[in-house]
Amino acid sequence: MKLKTIYEPKGAAREYAALGLNVYTGCDHGCTYCYAPAATKTKKENFSIVKNRPEKFLKWVKHDAAELRAEGITDHIHLSFTTDPYCHFDVGAEMTRKVLRILLSHDLNVQILTKGGNRSMRDSSLIFDHPDQVRYGATLTSMNDIRDIEPYAASFDERMRVLEVFHDQGVFTWVSLEPVLFPSEALDIIRATQRYVDLYWIGKLNHDKEREAKIDWNKFGRDAISVCVETGSTFRIKEALKKRMVYL
């Protein structure tokens, strides 16, 4: 099976999903902690300029979808590892909607991760028609206004409200608690959202050695587990955090 656009991620990304598809090149949310510029060997100022995929991109997606369906692959295809499927650029381009239509029409499973908030609601009817095929996720890093860190991403309140809408429509919802910028806030996020979040992926802060060294990751990890148990929340601890915890 030779795929053209859908791929098998490596390293930490593999924990989230066995398959990935990047709808765009670059992201315009401007998050200061973003690992993607380094991962794609792109200067930050260039990475913020989102580019549409080549003209044949959708044709390639259809090819890959047909291949995966023929093989009976049920793994979720993650949208997206090195971009946000609901970045501002998508409002006009609508490539995410086109990709979703193809994947869902081939009976494939899709996993979304976004900080786009209300921008993802444009595709809500499409997703609501396939609740068993889609997992909708949001990255949550702080309950406060952190425009200096995530200048163009949707607010926490907006992401939270959209998660609740999808959950109430029977869609599996999940949260990526990574990067962890403020450990106590990460715990509060679990408490505030647990009613409508089906799964938490709990990680740590990476790619910032100075700030990372100031956090007791063993304590945070154990506190996070305690809060999840206390609230009855399903969770997974990412490998990078596990390695910083004692006797886990």
Side-chain angles (χ1 to χ4, degrees):
M1 182 173 59
K2 191 172 182 180
L3 302 178
K4 297 177 181 294
T5 56
I6 298 172
Y7 66 98
E8 295 184 10
K10 299 177 181 179
R14 181 82 181 188
E15 294 179 65
Y16 276 156
L19 295 169
L21 174 59
N22 294 310
V23 182
Y24 299 108
T25 300
C27 180
D28 51 26
H29 281 158
C31 302
T32 60
Y33 54 73
C34 185
Y35 67 91
T40 58
K41 299 179 180 179
T42 307
K43 292 182 178 179
K44 284 191 175 183
E45 57 269 28
N46 294 333
F47 187 79
S48 64
I49 303 171
V50 182
K51 296 179 182 178
N52 217 338
R53 302 293 258 162
E55 188 176 338
K56 294 182 179 179
F57 179 68
L58 291 176
K59 186 177 180 180
W60 295 339
V61 174
K62 289 178 182 177
H63 167 275
D64 290 357
E67 289 282 307
L68 292 170
R69 181 176 181 178
E71 291 291 326
I73 302 298
T74 59
D75 293 315
H76 283 78
I77 301 166
H78 185 89
L79 307 181
S80 301
F81 283 112
T82 61
T83 186
D84 192 307
Y86 293 106
C87 59
H88 294 272
F89 186 84
D90 184 67
V91 174
E94 297 191 6
M95 185 61 73
T96 297
R97 185 174 185 81
K98 296 169 186 174
V99 167
L100 276 174
R101 284 192 182 279
I102 293 170
L103 299 179
L104 296 176
S105 67
H106 283 78
D107 298 321
L108 298 175
N109 295 318
V110 180
Q111 177 171 282
I112 294 167
L113 181 60
T114 182
K115 285 177 272 189
N118 288 338
R119 292 191 293 277
S120 62
M121 288 300 296
R122 184 201 59 217
D123 294 338
S124 59
S125 60
L126 176 59
I127 295 171
F128 294 163
D129 285 341
H130 301 83
D132 295 332
Q133 290 175 248
V134 181
R135 293 182 172 183
Y136 178 88
T139 298
L140 300 180
T141 52
S142 175
M143 296 178 69
N144 298 307
D145 184 3
I146 52 170
R147 292 291 168 187
D148 57 326
I149 300 174
E150 298 176 346
Y152 306 114
S155 68
F156 168 78
D157 287 343
E158 186 176 313
R159 290 180 233 177
M160 187 173 65
R161 287 194 300 271
V162 175
L163 273 168
E164 187 171 8
V165 170
F166 276 93
H167 182 271
D168 289 348
Q169 290 294 322
V171 177
F172 183 98
T173 54
W174 65 290
V175 162
S176 172
L177 280 176
E178 186 185 48
V180 173
L181 305 174
F182 315 101
S184 62
E185 282 194 46
L187 304 180
D188 289 339
I189 287 171
I190 298 172
R191 295 186 183 101
T193 63
Q194 51 85 24
R195 185 185 67 77
Y196 46 84
V197 173
D198 295 304
L199 174 66
Y200 294 93
W201 270 101
I202 304 171
K204 56 185 287 293
L205 175 64
N206 302 299
H207 315 295
D208 188 336
K209 292 183 179 180
E210 184 177 348
R211 291 183 64 187
E212 182 186 344
K214 296 177 181 178
I215 297 173
D216 184 340
W217 293 110
N218 179 54
K219 181 179 186 305
F220 166 70
R222 294 192 174 280
D223 287 346
I225 291 173
S226 295
V227 172
C228 286
V229 171
E230 168 195 321
T231 57
S233 301
T234 303
F235 66 95
R236 301 286 185 274
I237 302 294
K238 294 205 71 180
E239 289 300 321
L241 179 56
K242 279 184 182 180
K243 290 177 181 178
R244 301 294 292 272
M245 297 177 66
V246 180
Y247 304 124
L248 183 64

